Amino acid sequence: MSITRPKGTNDFLPSDTEKWRYVESILRETAAAYGYEELRTPIFESTDLFLRGVGETTDIVNKEMYTFEDKGGRSITLRPEGTASAARAYIEHKMHGLSQPVKLWYTGPMFRYERPQKGRFRQFHQFGLEAFGSDDPALDSEVIAFAFTFYSKLGLKGLSVRLNSVGCPHCRQEHKRKLQEFLRPHLEELCSDCRSRFEKNPLRIFDCKNEKCQSLINGAPTILECLCDECQEHFTKVKAYLTRAGIPYHVDAKLVRGLDYYTKTAFEILLEDIGAQSAICGGGRYDGLIKEIGGNDTCGVGFALGMERVFAAMESQGIEIPAVPKCDVFLIALGDKAKEALFPAAVSLRGKGIKTELDFLGRSLKSQMKTADRLGAKYAVILGEDELAAGKVIFRDMSDAQQDTISLEEITDEVSRRIKQ
RNA sequence: GUGGGUGUGGCGAAGCGGUUAACGCACCGGAUUGUGGCUCCGGCACUCGUGGGUUCAAAUCCCAUCACUCACCCCA
């Protein structure tokens, strides 16, 4: 029996990693344009960070964390998301002392113990960004605009932004109360899932797939109807900024976020054609988080996108990444003597940054030509018995089959000169 | 945790009870002897996820098991 990788994990082969680098380069470009700087945090953190940061009632904490005790008896958890770590780093490095807002981005693997399916893995990868230290609604809109800019640069189409405000803790308390009041007479008619949601998180009942529950909740007060003046004004401004920037969105009062730390703005961007896991990114404001995990009362807003889902979206929309040439010159040696003569040339050409390949299987000239062709080599250098004796090599242009003879000693200079012209 | 689907060579995919398990792609080699992209020819599977069972006979039927996959829950 051979050993295979754990469930819900992936190997990314060269054809995949090429796409990753491309997408990451666009993300870095966009981050630079928006003024966000890179943050790298550990892949594991103290379990407490997530208990307090993500919230003890969330599914992530209750059933999805990879938690273990290390040899020092500390409870450690592989990070299930990035915001808590970023917030922790903000506090730990006293970034409140920097000019605000502090705008950071990160990317890397996240871990959640779930049954894998399309667009969902146990080790998955997120890119995320966080802006700490300002409650300006323009910053909420900036975060959404960032995602929008990124997707347009990538060429993705058909995205829809769902936007909501989940209010502050006061609005939420008020809403929860009104919602429970509204539903209480029909409590017995709700499905079993929703009956348990009723106490914990009645907002979730809006999401239930059960038609009966849907009809019961139809007409129930939404969070938007319960916003306090401050939250209402904030939401209005967020929408206004988006509209002015020409970013389309639609308000969905039923949008709920699964992590406890969200306040006010909540949004996600959906793309229907990548399966059931259609949320390609999600985020919002979390004004209570930093204080919750032990910092000063500091605002924050951010979002995270799922890399694997971005790739699925690119796949379904047929988005190709720009082709990068894999080989500039293929050195064809016929026989060991020729290979010995060509090997140092390969090393020095590569030292000049020229993509140089040669054969390691003792193949025929014809086969080596085929390989050179397949690699997309622009030139081939051929060294056989006759050339070796004469101290020359054949320099062949693969595109038009023109070839001439150059000196063996000057091969590096000559080839690099011709390639660069 | 719950439910559905699938499991044949590197990949895709026929075969669904009966002699040596199609085909396509990829890969390797060759087409009068040192030259590519097209075409043609040839090569590449002690074997149908694994373990039992039924049968004269199973990749084909049954059971179990594992893996993968999709969906629910929830989320990126």
Side-chain angles (χ1 to χ4, degrees), chain A residues 5-273:
Chain A
R5 42 175 229 280
K7 188 191 280 285
T9 63
N10 285 111
D11 291 318
F12 299 105
L13 302 182
S15 60
D16 303 311
T17 53
E18 201 179 333
K19 291 194 193 105
W20 277 74
R21 283 197 311 277
Y22 172 72
V23 171
E24 283 168 356
S25 73
I26 295 182
L27 283 165
R28 282 165 195 270
E29 247 172 50
T30 312
Y34 273 82
Y36 287 73
E37 295 181 296
E38 185 175 7
L39 171 72
R40 297 195 189 189
T41 62
I43 278 173
F44 59 86
E45 297 269 4
S46 287
T47 302
D48 284 346
L49 175 63
F50 302 116
L51 293 183
R52 286 163 62 189
V54 177
E56 307 212 27
T57 63
T58 61
D59 273 21
I60 291 181
V61 166
N62 281 315
K63 47 184 212 188
E64 298 177 358
M65 295 206 303
Y66 278 93
T67 298
F68 59 95
E69 195 172 277
D70 72 9
K71 294 189 182 195
R74 290 168 280 257
S75 182
I76 295 297
T77 294
L78 300 184
R79 64 182 182 195
E81 59 102 48
T83 301
S85 299
R88 194 223 77 231
Y90 178 88
I91 298 167
E92 191 164 336
H93 300 283
K94 302 179 170 52
M95 291 190 223
H96 58 80
L98 303 173
S99 160
Q100 307 292 302
V102 174
K103 306 203 293 185
L104 303 167
W105 66 266
Y106 58 83
T107 187
M110 307 292 165
F111 305 85
R112 271 129 82 160
Y113 187 85
E114 300 182 273
R115 284 288 291 273
Q117 67 187 64
K118 192 175 173 94
R120 153 169 305 162
F121 307 97
R122 289 186 176 177
Q123 175 176 331
F124 63 104
H125 300 76
Q126 287 189 338
F127 169 94
L129 52 81
E130 318 291 350
F132 297 107
S134 164
D135 63 357
D136 187 345
L139 210 46
D140 304 42
S141 304
E142 174 176 291
V143 164
I144 297 170
F146 180 101
F148 206 78
T149 300
F150 165 66
Y151 294 129
S152 349
K153 275 191 181 179
L154 204 54
L156 285 178
K157 302 207 162 51
L159 299 152
S160 61
V161 181
R162 288 171 77 198
L163 183 67
N164 193 19
S165 173
V166 296
C168 59
H170 303 293
C171 314
R172 268 218 293 279
Q173 241 357 83
E174 175 70 3
H175 177 236
K176 187 174 175 182
R177 197 183 54 72
K178 283 188 178 167
L179 197 53
Q180 285 171 332
E181 202 171 280
F182 181 89
L183 286 169
R184 198 176 306 277
H186 310 286
L187 189 51
E188 294 308 310
E189 301 167 60
L190 291 169
C191 72
S192 59
D193 282 343
C194 286
R195 278 202 296 274
S196 66
R197 287 172 178 138
F198 182 82
E199 286 303 331
K200 282 196 312 198
N201 194 354
L203 244 75
R204 282 263 165 227
I205 299 174
F206 280 111
D207 279 344
C208 186
K209 303 287 187 292
N210 190 308
E211 285 181 26
K212 178 79 181 182
C213 299
Q214 277 307 309
S215 68
L216 287 173
I217 200 159
N218 195 20
T222 67
I223 180 74
L224 290 179
E225 293 160 24
C226 304
L227 293 183
C228 64
D229 291 348
E230 188 198 327
C231 290
Q232 184 60 60
E233 190 190 340
H234 186 92
F235 191 48
T236 302
K237 284 184 176 165
V238 170
K239 290 185 289 185
Y241 278 115
L242 289 175
T243 303
R244 294 178 83 93
I247 294 168
Y249 64 87
H250 67 268
V251 173
D252 182 350
K254 296 180 192 172
L255 176 67
V256 186
R257 304 267 68 212
L259 293 78
D260 283 355
Y261 51 61
Y262 285 107
T263 55
K264 295 181 179 169
T265 310
F267 76 96
E268 54 185 41
I269 298 183
L270 264 44
L271 190 67
E272 299 301 338
D273 44 339

